[in-house]
Amino acid sequence: MKNSNLFSENCINLNLKGSTKSEIIDELVEMLNAAGKLNDKEEYKKQILKRESQSSTGLEEGIAIPHAKTVAVKIPSIAFGISKNGVDYESLDGEPSKLFFMIAAPANASDTHIEILSKLTTMLLDDEVREKLLEVKNPQEVIEILSLEDEEEKKEEVTEKVENSEFPEVLAVTACPTGIAHTYMAADALIKKAKELGVNIKVETNGSTGVKNMLTDEEIKNAKGIIVAADKNVEMARFDSKNVEIVPVKEGIKNPEGLIKNAINQTAPIYKAEGKSSGVSNKKEKTGFYKHLMSGVSNMLPFVVGGGILIALSFMFGITASNPSDPNYSPIAKLLNDIGGGNAFFLMVPVMAGFIGMSIADRPGFAPAMVGGLISLNNGGGFLGGLIGGFLGGYTVILLKKVFSKLPQSFEGLKPVLLYPLFGIFITGALMYGFIVDPIAALNNGVTEFLKSLGTGNLVLLGIVLAAMMATDMGGPINKSSFTFGIMMIAAGNYYPHAAVMAGGMVPPLGIALATTFFKNKFTKDEIDAGKTCYIMGLSFITEGAIPFAAADPVRVIPASIIGAAIAGGLTMFFRVQLPAPHGGIFVFPVVTHPMMYLLAVVVGSVVTALILGFIKKSVQE
């Protein structure tokens, strides 16, 4: 498909009447709507204005490219217009805009459509193309100019691959909020300028269809400098200890030469990834299983927290108050429970699985993995089955990508909208039903029955282990494993383990807060101030509040936290405390069995941690 195929004569206006930015947008939207390219004119305009509110799409050299990707678009199209006098469109160089390209991309636009739309934006960097467009006499000439450019691009693509054989001197990442126009214009501007300067460059684009031309660890290691021209979050931890220039995406279009020279001369600041030391670190970013698992767990947590607290609030009316047949029935309790448990909490396993799949195979991996998680949830597979479903769905799509890579280029647009979801969902679902979900369900039932049969002594040991795990890496994989196990037990109807889990997670920040209050000579002024925040984080069950202290003095803080947490976890099991809410800290204490004994367990564990720190930490004078 060519760039010119996205244009039609009834979407070209060589004499726009508008004299303001708003009027130009109205004219272009109306043109697309009249040509039957939109499903919903008002919604499309709303999305155009939303994109403009993030940053103006007015560029340099009299060009503006308003764009939106939305379900309001029926057919991928471009409306082109010329304003003879120019309009103030808040452009980069402050000059009036005369050439307007309004891009309309459907929400399910294929990779092919988005890439073609993106190539169009890069063509406009060519002075000759802009001059030709300003001189056209009829719509057909516009289409002819763009058709010629299609042929020239094919020739340029062949030579690009030969030149970039060694490690690039400069690396760049470009990304804009919608991932359609500015992402690729910035990339093309950097590549074009690098050629002029004789600099070998590689540019990764974080566009609407996912990450393309991804930078490798070896390339990052050998690069002199890195440019990140982005208006949205991109993966930054990989650039730790490298010279990184971080600028808005428009800067990549406006000032590519300055950015490239800064990268070559290594004048940009050294980037320090969050949570790493100020020195040069040889620690590699977490990849593989851990990375995919954390992607699923982190995206699941909002459902756990929001849904779990709503469930806990419903319990305040009575543990069975949400049941219409119960004497203590409360409509408010039922509403809270239906929202939190029947919907938000219900979604956490499929969402976790979906984002694991997406982490593995990008967007095409989301649907098969989410279906795998839902199959597990509906058939007794629980969290473990959801984890397997997530990885199965993601790697199934990876396999399909390799299989379908042999198909002709004409099938490229069908892959993300038909082939990947159809075969991915079927294969994942068939494997889940045929081989996975039944054994996992049996395993879950066995674990649940085993825990129910445990005596007090064994339960105490389990509580000690689970709580100690929560304090070991304070938000890392060991912590998350314990937390996930506790939630799995709640889903299975066993409320003992998660009481130990939450107690173990609350103790480290609370113990540190107490230590900074009563042993001030052992902490700096900044640490004492930070300790006050730990009270709030500990009471809210946010173990990560202890991380700064653990990072500064791991040899003393981590063991003290583990010992205090383990004592708290063991006491909750000894007191036979049950916790039906997955999150909330002290705010869900009213719904636990034996709330005062639970509070005592947390207090004792926190005091033990504080006393150990007060005893083993050196005073700040020393």
Side-chain angles (χ1 to χ4, degrees):
M1 186 176 181
K2 297 179 179 180
N3 292 343
S4 50
N5 288 355
L6 293 168
F7 290 88
S8 57
E9 292 189 26
N10 57 354
C11 285
I12 297 175
N13 185 344
L14 304 182
N15 189 21
L16 294 172
K17 305 296 183 185
S19 59
T20 65
K21 179 176 179 178
S22 177
E23 289 173 353
I24 291 292
I25 289 175
D26 286 341
E27 278 189 79
L28 295 171
V29 170
E30 184 56 47
M31 203 187 322
L32 288 167
N33 188 55
K37 309 295 186 182
L38 306 178
N39 292 315
D40 186 335
K41 182 178 82 170
E42 295 304 320
E43 177 59 25
Y44 176 70
K45 180 182 175 182
K46 178 182 174 183
Q47 294 303 317
I48 287 286
L49 295 176
K50 179 181 177 182
R51 173 62 186 88
E52 292 295 327
S53 69
Q54 294 169 333
S55 64
S56 174
T57 56
L59 306 176
E60 293 180 301
E61 308 295 344
I63 302 167
I65 310 179
H67 53 274
K69 182 180 179 184
T70 168
V71 292
V73 176
K74 184 189 303 183
I75 302 169
S77 311
I78 301 172
F80 172 69
I82 299 177
S83 172
K84 301 295 184 184
N85 299 322
V87 172
D88 180 6
Y89 207 89
E90 303 169 23
S91 60
L92 283 173
D93 54 9
E95 296 297 318
S97 299
K98 294 183 177 181
L99 296 174
F100 298 91
F101 293 81
M102 179 171 278
I103 299 174
N108 62 345
S110 68
D111 288 10
T112 304
H113 284 142
I114 296 300
E115 287 169 6
I116 290 172
L117 290 169
S118 304
K119 284 178 182 178
L120 166 72
T121 64
T122 63
M123 287 165 44
L124 299 175
L125 296 171
D126 191 322
D127 295 340
E128 187 179 345
V129 173
R130 295 194 304 273
E131 290 170 6
K132 286 180 180 178
L133 288 172
L134 284 170
E135 294 172 0
V136 294
K137 300 290 189 277
N138 55 66
Q140 187 57 40
E141 288 185 32
V142 175
I143 297 174
E144 287 174 1
I145 291 170
L146 296 171
S147 297
L148 289 173
E149 289 300 319
D150 286 333
E151 299 304 318
E152 290 175 11
E153 279 191 358
K154 288 179 183 177
K155 296 174 186 176
E156 290 178 3
E157 285 173 2
V158 179
T159 59
E160 187 72 28
K161 295 176 184 177
V162 180
E163 295 172 359
N164 292 330
S165 55
E166 58 185 78
F167 287 122
E169 299 169 89
V170 176
L171 303 178
V173 180
T174 62
C176 68
T178 53
I180 296 176
H182 291 62
T183 298
Y184 300 95
M185 290 192 78
D188 198 70
L190 289 164
I191 292 170
K192 183 178 178 181
K193 185 55 66 175
K195 281 186 178 181
E196 292 178 12
L197 298 172
V199 174
N200 193 348
I201 191 172
K202 178 178 178 180
V203 184
E204 172 187 301
T205 54
N206 285 230
S208 177
T209 57
V211 176
K212 303 290 184 184
N213 212 27
M214 182 178 286
L215 308 179
T216 67
D217 291 341
E218 199 68 20
E219 289 167 340
I220 294 169
K221 178 182 176 182
N222 287 279
K224 289 184 177 178
I226 297 164
I227 301 163
V228 177
D231 290 336
K232 69 174 186 178
N233 290 335
V234 297
E235 191 177 347
M236 292 293 295
R238 52 189 166 155
F239 302 139
D240 184 60
S241 300
K242 300 293 292 187
N243 294 88
V244 183
E245 188 88 42
I246 304 173
V247 296
V249 70
K250 281 188 177 181
E251 192 70 14
I253 303 169
K254 183 179 180 181
N255 185 31
E257 183 173 352
L259 294 175
I260 291 169
K261 286 182 176 178
N262 286 347
I264 289 290
N265 297 328
Q266 297 183 316
T267 57
I270 299 292
Y271 179 76
K272 293 299 175 189
E274 186 177 348
K276 295 193 177 183
S277 65
S278 57
V280 176
S281 172
N282 294 320
K283 184 179 177 183
K284 292 186 177 179
E285 180 192 357
K286 294 290 191 297
T287 56
F289 178 84
Y290 175 81
K291 175 185 174 183
H292 305 318
L293 176 61
M294 288 301 103
S295 177
V297 171
S298 62
N299 282 285
M300 172 191 76
L301 283 179
F303 295 87
V304 174
V305 175
I309 291 176
L310 288 172
I311 294 171
L313 291 173
S314 76
F315 291 153
M316 295 180 71
F317 294 86
I319 295 296
T320 57
S322 61
N323 184 353
S325 61
D326 191 87
N328 296 320
Y329 170 69
S330 167
I332 298 177
K334 185 177 187 306
L335 176 65
L336 292 169
N337 191 67
D338 287 347
I339 296 171
N343 292 278
F345 210 55
F346 176 81
L347 284 171
M348 63 183 180
V349 171
V351 166
M352 176 189 68
F355 278 97
I356 288 174
M358 188 172 177
S359 177
I360 294 168
D362 212 343
R363 295 183 186 183
F366 185 79
M370 191 167 187
V371 170
L374 187 61
I375 290 172
S376 173
L377 181 67
N378 288 332
N379 293 274
F383 277 86
L384 183 57
L387 285 172
I388 295 172
F391 281 96
L392 179 62
Y395 284 112
T396 295
V397 172
I398 292 291
L399 176 63
L400 290 174
K401 285 183 176 182
K402 291 181 180 178
V403 172
F404 293 145
S405 65
K406 302 183 185 343
L407 293 176
Q409 183 67 24
S410 57
F411 282 84
E412 200 65 29
L414 285 176
K415 291 179 184 178
V417 297
L418 176 63
L419 299 181
Y420 293 150
L422 173 62
F423 288 97
I425 290 172
F426 172 73
I427 293 171
T428 302
L431 291 173
M432 288 294 293
Y433 276 119
F435 302 99
I436 295 170
V437 74
D438 288 341
I440 295 299
L443 177 63
N444 284 339
N445 289 334
V447 171
T448 302
E449 292 304 317
F450 171 74
L451 289 174
K452 288 179 179 178
S453 68
L454 287 177
T456 300
N458 290 327
L459 277 175
V460 169
L461 179 60
L462 177 64
I464 290 172
V465 172
L466 289 174
M469 289 172 67
M470 290 297 293
T472 300
D473 56 358
M474 303 175 188
I478 298 174
N479 172 284
K480 289 294 189 292
S481 298
S482 176
F483 180 72
T484 302
F485 179 80
I487 294 177
M488 182 172 70
M489 289 298 96
I490 288 178
N494 188 319
Y495 302 142
Y496 290 107
H498 203 68
V501 167
M502 188 176 291
M506 293 173 69
V507 163
L510 286 175
I512 289 169
L514 290 172
T516 59
T517 300
F518 295 102
F519 302 100
K520 294 183 185 291
N521 63 317
K522 302 299 179 78
F523 299 91
T524 66
K525 185 179 183 302
D526 288 341
E527 287 175 330
I528 292 170
D529 290 340
K532 297 172 184 175
T533 306
C534 282
Y535 279 112
I536 298 172
M537 300 186 84
L539 291 172
S540 303
F541 182 38
I542 302 175
T543 317
E544 288 84 349
I547 288 177
F549 294 87
D553 189 5
V555 175
R556 296 176 179 85
V557 173
I558 292 177
S561 298
I562 291 173
I563 293 170
I567 290 172
L571 287 174
T572 64
M573 289 296 200
F574 180 77
F575 296 144
R576 291 282 180 166
V577 177
Q578 297 184 66
L579 174 64
H583 212 285
I586 196 170
F587 303 104
V588 296
F589 272 33
V591 304
V592 304
T593 57
H594 315 301
M596 295 309 297
M597 303 308 292
Y598 192 33
L599 179 61
L600 177 63
V602 172
V603 169
V604 169
S606 301
V607 169
V608 168
T609 294
L611 290 174
I612 293 174
L613 288 174
F615 179 74
I616 66 175
K617 274 186 72 69
K618 295 180 180 180
S619 65
V620 291
Q621 288 81 3
E622 294 178 41

